[in-house]
Amino acid sequence: MTLTIKYFGLIAEKIGKREEVISLDDEDFDVEALKKFCFSKYKLQDLQAVQVAVNQSIQRSGPLKNGDEVAFLPPYAGG
């Protein structure tokens, strides 16, 4: 499975990139597994505070499919 991963805000700053394409051997990856995989890979903290959007729709869980675009969105405050 090939996924496009986009990183925003402090996440992008910490890992030094805004986007990458990754290939996974496991076709049964879901949102939570991908989040854990990426956070472990880049040694990021505060897994629960980051929201995930799949194909521009916020998702907490669910399966991923080949070609999905996944975005990691840092916590934000409005005002």
Side-chain angles (χ1 to χ4, degrees):
M1 167 181 352
T2 301
L3 303 170
T4 300
I5 312 295
K6 294 188 174 193
Y7 304 98
F8 291 90
L10 290 175
I11 299 168
E13 288 177 27
K14 286 182 180 180
I15 67 171
K17 62 176 85 175
R18 296 191 181 278
E19 183 175 319
E20 69 180 323
V21 175
I22 63 170
S23 294
L24 302 168
D25 292 333
D26 189 351
E27 294 294 321
D28 293 327
F29 242 64
D30 65 10
V31 171
E32 281 299 312
L34 179 66
K35 193 173 178 181
K36 288 177 186 173
F37 171 80
C38 289
F39 272 56
S40 175
K41 177 179 174 181
Y42 293 113
K43 296 174 180 53
L44 298 171
Q45 303 296 319
D46 207 7
L47 189 67
Q48 298 306 315
V50 172
Q51 291 191 7
V52 179
V54 178
N55 300 322
Q56 300 180 358
S57 177
I58 299 293
Q59 287 191 253
R60 293 189 189 272
S61 62
L64 295 169
K65 62 184 182 312
N66 189 47
D68 279 347
E69 176 187 274
V70 180
F72 289 105
L73 309 167
Y76 56 90

